[in-house]
């Protein structure tokens, strides 16, 4: 029944896409006239419709929509710009920020269009862990936890500190205060939420920190509800095809070495089989969240166009009034956006030039290829200011010979493992949050070669815990590429890693001593609830500290990987883009990794990127809606 409804929604969307077909014809005209070298001014002069006509179209939304369908060109207010199409809110991108904005805009009565640059929708969101850090979300009470905006603010202050306007008090407050609204809107429209009860904040001991409950995610989602459209998602291409919940992965990583892990693994198997038996294609994590959002987008009949990057915003004076979309064949479509343009275009993980310039490395990102910084560039071209460009959602990743890097999480936190620099010395608490590990690699590399560094594990580690890198790449290939190195003794391993055997031996001996006492005197590994999230409770006295005693020992190359970048356009509490003079650029909004993150240089909790992407997408769209209403009232 529900599948039929979704199919119907897909068909209706197709129908509404057809209705805009004449506008496409207009688009090719634009390209044709551009080819013919028609000067813009001449074209503009032609389209110089009186201001009153445009005001009317802004005042009456239904009239405006009718106009969009019927005519291919119209004039914008104040300026003589030739438009190929008109909408209220033009949303660039199709990840969490963009889909949230589109849904909120449509729910507020706006005529919305989503344009995605690549041939796949969903962005990094669709291949992510799918967690949203949402302090004070409405399910908190149900799980018997009390949270408050003041506690969450105190925690953000303690963990983020002062990083400038990207994480101003106004933005933090707007984020926290809007969470219940966003949660309820999406739930009302069909999102099925789950709480990751045991996923602690990443600094649970800081003021206002919590040891679990603030992170939520979508329940496993039946991808068949999207019909063929699912095949066009990043999740179909690169997501985890299992109904996994992020809140249970910590147990799955020790599925064959602990009872609780085994039980959780069995539950996952039954859930997967249950889905198959009932004819469902259940997916979890980011695929479930993006799929759920897309189902809502379809239900609301919001058209989505792939291979349609926003390449420029069009300004009328200081105000953004529309944007240009450049198709793969070079055709430019000018779309008027009466309420505004929302850039939910991700970050610049794969823009090597910027990675070198701002990060000093080419980048080893797990984000998909569409993360090219084009939306940030569009904002900069429109006069926007940027911040935090030198930062990213860092982590530790293992390179692979034939694919992208694999993000290493439980592997470095579980016992019987250490990370060492190229001289063979530890330099970080291996169990700390990924952003902190990434920062530590980059910082330590300034003094001692640490890119790459090495994760060294003993035999028990490999026997007991899931090692994602070895699910993604074959051990022989990794060995042939020098990414994985094996030896029976620590000294032999040191020789193979071109380290002084005495140094590595001393490092291991000292670490093994900490394992006996349970206290890591150098880096405090295992001291917090977060460290212990990925650990082995059977290992005593400290579940993160297991000695490296039993060979063969294996070493895996580690580079400063990332889940995407976190620097970008500066925005305010309404997701409005700020220019280099500190003023709002009217009509231009941005959210998600296109913006300088409200989380500053840190990662306060699981879902600290998708949470704000979703909330600021919503806030921007809601603000944009007031602009159209304002015009109507005027
Ligand atoms: C393996 C992995 C696991 C992760 N797990 C989590 C997690 O559990 N929780 C969490 O909070 N974060 C997680 N992250 C990070 C998180 O996925 C991203 O930070 C977040 O999804 C970014 O959302 P977004 O909407 O800003 O961008 P995206 O989801 O990347 O969407 C941006 C979209 O815009 C498109 N685009 C780019 N340029 C243009 C243009 N000019 N015009 C139109 N479209 C354009 C892109 O192709 C893309 O589809 C994870 C990341 C990875 C890689």
């Amino acid at each position: 029944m529900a599948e039929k409804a979704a199919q119907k929604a897909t068909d209706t969307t197709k129908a509404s896409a057809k209705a805009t077909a004449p506008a496409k014809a207009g688009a090719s005209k634009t390209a044709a006239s551009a080819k013919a070298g028609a000067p813009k001014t001449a074209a503009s002069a032609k389209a110089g419709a009186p201001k009153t006509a445009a005001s009317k179209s802004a005042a009456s939304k239904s009239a405006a929509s009718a106009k969009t369908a019927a005519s291919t060109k119209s004039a914008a207010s104040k300026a003589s710009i030739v438009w190929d199409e008109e909408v209220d809110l033009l949303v660039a991108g199709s990840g969490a920020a963009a889909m949230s904005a589109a849904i909120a805009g449509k729910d507020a009565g706006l005529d919305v269009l989503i344009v995605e640059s690549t041939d796949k929708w969903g962005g990094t969101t669709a291949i992510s862990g799918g967690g949203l850090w949402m302090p004070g979300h409405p399910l908190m009470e149900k799980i018997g936890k009390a949270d408050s905006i003041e506690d969450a603010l105190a925690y953000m202050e303690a963990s983020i500190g002062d990083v400038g306007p990207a994480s101003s008090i106004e933005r933090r407050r707007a984020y926290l205060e809007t969470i219940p609204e966003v949660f309820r809107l999406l739930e009302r429209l069909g999102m099925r939420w789950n709480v990751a009860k045991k996923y602690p904040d990443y600094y649970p001991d800081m003021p206002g920190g919590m040891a679990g409950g603030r992170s939520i995610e979508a329940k496993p989602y039946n991808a068949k509800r999207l019909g063929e459209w699912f095949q066009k998602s990043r999740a179909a291409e690169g997501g985890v095809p299992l109904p996994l919940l992020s809140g249970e992965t910590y147990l799955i990583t020790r599925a064959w070495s602990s009872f609780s892990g085994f039980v959780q693994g069995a539950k996952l198997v039954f859930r997967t089989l249950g889905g198959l038996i009932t004819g469902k294609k259940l997916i979890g994590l980011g695929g479930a969240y993006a799929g759920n959002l897309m189902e809502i987008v379809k239900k609301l009949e919001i058209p989505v166009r792939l291979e349609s990057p926003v390449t420029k915003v069009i300004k009328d004076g200081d105000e953004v009034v529309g944007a240009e979309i450049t198709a793969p064949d070079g055709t430019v479509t000018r779309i008027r956006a009466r309420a505004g343009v929302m850039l939910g275009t991700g970050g610049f993980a794969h823009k090597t030039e910027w990675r070198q310039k701002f990060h000093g490395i080419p980048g080893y990102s797990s984000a998909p290829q569409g993360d090219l910084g084009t939306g940030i560039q569009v904002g900069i071209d429109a006069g926007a200011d940027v911040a935090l460009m030198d930062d990213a959602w860092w982590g530790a990743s293992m390179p692979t010979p034939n694919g992208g890097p694999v993000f290493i999480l439980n592997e470095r936190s579980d016992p019987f493992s250490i990370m060492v620099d190229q001289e063979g010395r530890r330099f970080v608490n291996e169990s700390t949050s990924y952003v902190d590990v990434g920062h530590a690699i980059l910082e330590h590399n300034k003094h001692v070669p640490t890119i790459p560094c090495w994760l060294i594990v003993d035999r028990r580690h490999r026997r007991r815990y899931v090692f994602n890198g070895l699910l993604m790449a074959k051990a022989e290939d990794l060995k042939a590429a020098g990414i994985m190195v094996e030896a029976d003794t620590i000294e032999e391993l040191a020789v193979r890693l071109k380290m002084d055997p005495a140094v590595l031996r001393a490092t291991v001996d000292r670490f093994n001593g900490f394992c006996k006492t349970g206290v890591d005197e150098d880096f405090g590994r295992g001291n917090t609830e977060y460290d212990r999230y990925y650990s082995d409770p059977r290992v005593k006295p400290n579940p993160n500290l297991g000695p490296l005693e039993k060979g063969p020992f294996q070493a895996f190359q580690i580079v400063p990987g990332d889940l995407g970048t976190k620097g970008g356009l500066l925005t305010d509490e309404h997701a409005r883009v700020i220019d280099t003079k500190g003023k709002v650029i009217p009509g231009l909004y941005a959210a998600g990794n296109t913006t300088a993150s409200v989380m500053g240089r840190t990662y306060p909790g699981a879902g600290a990127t998708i949470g704000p992407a979703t909330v600021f997408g919503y806030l921007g769209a809601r603000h944009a809606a007031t602009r159209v209403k304002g015009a109507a009232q005027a």
Side-chain angles (χ1 to χ4, degrees):
M1 186 75 179
E3 275 162 35
K4 268 192 185 163
Q7 189 55 48
K8 197 168 163 236
T10 311
D11 295 343
T12 335
T13 310
K14 270 187 207 149
S16 71
K18 263 189 199 160
T20 58
K24 283 221 160 183
S28 42
K29 257 190 196 168
T30 310
S33 55
K35 260 189 202 161
K40 269 183 192 168
T41 43
S44 311
K46 241 187 183 180
K51 280 175 192 174
T52 45
S55 320
K56 265 186 202 162
S57 81
S60 160
K61 203 171 81 59
S62 53
S65 308
K67 198 175 169 195
T68 310
S71 92
T72 57
K73 290 180 181 178
S74 66
S77 65
K78 297 181 208 151
S80 308
I81 301 166
V82 181
W83 299 111
D84 298 301
E85 296 176 49
E86 288 188 21
V87 294
D88 289 327
L89 182 64
L90 179 64
V91 177
S94 61
M99 286 201 274
S100 167
I103 291 166
K106 184 77 182 192
D107 183 69
L110 299 182
D111 178 19
V112 182
L113 170 65
I114 293 180
V115 289
E116 157 63 40
S117 59
T118 68
D119 62 353
K120 298 268 185 305
W121 59 265
T124 315
T125 307
I127 59 157
S128 74
L132 292 84
W133 191 67
M134 300 285 251
H137 61 78
L139 291 178
M140 212 86 179
E141 264 179 47
K142 261 196 185 166
I143 60 163
K145 298 225 175 188
D147 199 1
S148 71
I149 287 177
E150 294 317 314
D151 279 354
L153 273 177
Y155 177 63
M156 288 180 83
E157 179 57 30
S159 59
I160 299 167
D162 182 4
V163 291
S167 187
S168 64
I169 183 69
E170 291 81 10
R171 269 174 56 79
R172 288 179 193 172
R173 240 184 212 292
Y175 169 54
L176 295 169
E177 285 172 356
T178 313
I179 284 169
E181 235 170 282
V182 179
F183 179 102
R184 289 204 177 93
L185 171 69
L186 294 179
E187 189 177 53
R188 170 164 64 77
L189 293 170
M191 180 69 68
R192 293 167 63 244
W193 294 115
N194 178 63
V195 188
K197 290 189 203 101
K198 297 206 169 148
Y199 217 142
D201 286 346
Y202 290 2
Y203 310 95
D205 296 346
M206 285 188 177
M210 284 184 77
R214 280 179 169 160
S215 299
I216 58 171
E217 62 191 321
K219 284 187 176 164
Y221 177 75
N222 179 11
K224 283 195 177 169
R225 293 171 71 93
L226 290 169
E228 283 301 305
W229 186 234
F230 176 68
Q231 294 310 322
K232 288 277 176 193
S233 74
R234 285 273 163 223
E237 182 192 59
V240 180
L242 287 173
L244 198 57
L245 288 159
S246 72
E248 68 188 10
T249 46
Y250 75 105
L251 286 171
I252 305 280
T253 59
R254 45 179 201 253
W256 53 83
S257 60
S258 75
F259 182 68
S260 53
F262 176 78
V263 170
Q264 204 61 49
K267 276 189 192 166
L268 176 63
V269 170
F270 283 124
R271 201 182 300 144
T272 309
L273 289 176
L276 289 174
I277 290 164
T278 50
K280 292 175 184 158
K281 183 182 174 60
L282 290 179
I283 54 169
L285 308 179
Y289 185 52
N292 230 314
L293 285 176
M294 183 50 84
E295 183 174 329
I296 298 171
V297 163
K298 291 285 182 188
K299 196 156 64 182
L300 296 178
E301 300 183 13
I302 301 169
V304 182
R305 281 186 211 157
L306 303 179
E307 296 186 279
S308 303
V310 163
T311 43
K312 183 184 167 187
V313 291
I314 300 169
K315 285 174 95 174
D316 180 1
D318 287 340
E319 185 183 358
V320 168
V321 291
E324 284 187 2
I325 313 298
T326 307
D329 67 359
T331 306
V332 174
T333 305
R334 289 175 155 192
I335 303 183
R336 182 182 175 202
R338 289 177 291 262
V341 174
M342 163 61 78
L343 300 172
T345 49
F348 59 95
H350 294 290
K351 189 171 171 75
T352 314
E353 188 195 332
W354 282 8
R355 297 302 306 258
Q356 284 291 0
K357 179 176 168 189
F358 294 111
H359 302 150
I361 55 169
Y364 311 95
S365 187
S366 297
Q369 287 303 321
D371 213 60
L372 291 166
T374 54
I376 298 175
Q377 186 64 58
V378 162
I380 292 171
D381 293 345
D385 203 356
V386 291
L388 300 175
M389 293 293 277
D390 58 337
D391 224 315
W393 302 108
W394 297 113
S397 291
M398 185 191 81
T400 60
N402 307 315
V406 180
F407 209 69
I408 295 294
L409 197 54
N410 66 289
E411 298 89 335
R412 60 179 164 75
S413 186
D414 285 329
F416 312 109
S417 69
I418 53 170
M419 278 173 70
V420 294
D421 61 26
Q422 290 179 18
E423 290 181 355
R425 294 187 179 86
R426 286 179 75 214
F427 60 94
V428 68
N429 166 7
E430 294 86 348
S431 302
T432 197
S433 88
Y434 24 99
V435 161
D436 290 347
V437 169
H439 281 147
I441 296 175
L442 291 162
E443 191 53 38
H444 194 68
N445 189 54
K446 290 178 186 162
H447 316 289
V448 180
T450 314
I451 302 176
C453 51
W454 295 93
L455 171 68
I456 301 178
V457 303
D458 120 332
R459 193 174 70 204
R460 285 163 291 186
H461 185 285
R462 285 299 318 287
R463 284 201 179 153
R464 294 184 186 185
Y465 317 122
V466 169
F467 200 105
N468 285 305
L470 289 165
L471 299 177
M472 305 293 191
K474 286 187 189 147
E476 311 89 80
D477 294 345
L478 292 172
K479 281 183 190 168
I483 294 166
M484 177 179 172
V485 178
E486 199 171 62
D488 287 333
T489 66
I490 290 293
E491 286 75 7
E492 272 176 57
L493 189 70
V495 171
R496 290 193 187 160
L497 296 177
K498 299 189 175 58
M499 292 169 189
D500 180 346
V503 172
L504 188 60
R505 179 79 260 165
T507 299
V508 169
D509 287 348
R510 184 169 170 79
F511 178 75
N512 288 354
F514 298 157
C515 297
K516 281 198 188 100
T517 61
V519 180
D520 174 6
E521 290 173 25
D522 292 339
F523 300 102
R525 180 170 171 183
N527 283 0
T528 74
E529 195 74 30
Y530 175 76
D531 286 8
R532 295 190 289 273
Y533 187 64
Y534 289 111
S535 69
D536 187 343
R538 291 172 311 158
V539 174
K540 309 269 188 225
N542 182 329
N544 293 94
L545 299 183
L548 276 76
E549 293 166 335
K550 302 199 172 173
F553 300 97
Q554 291 172 340
F556 298 89
Q557 230 180 65
I558 299 293
V559 290
D562 63 74
L563 301 175
T565 53
K566 59 156 64 180
L569 308 179
L570 207 53
T571 50
D572 72 0
E573 63 274 24
H574 301 293
R576 296 179 296 186
V577 175
I578 306 296
D579 73 11
T580 48
K581 293 184 187 115
K583 284 195 184 142
V584 164
I585 302 177
L588 186 59
Y589 299 86
N593 286 352
T594 307
T595 63
S597 175
V598 70
M599 300 300 166
R601 299 187 176 282
T602 190
Y603 209 116
T609 92
I610 299 180
T614 303
V615 171
F616 283 107
Y618 171 98
L619 278 167
R622 288 298 211 230
H623 189 276
T626 65
R627 297 185 77 236
V628 172
K629 275 187 200 151
Q633 278 153 17

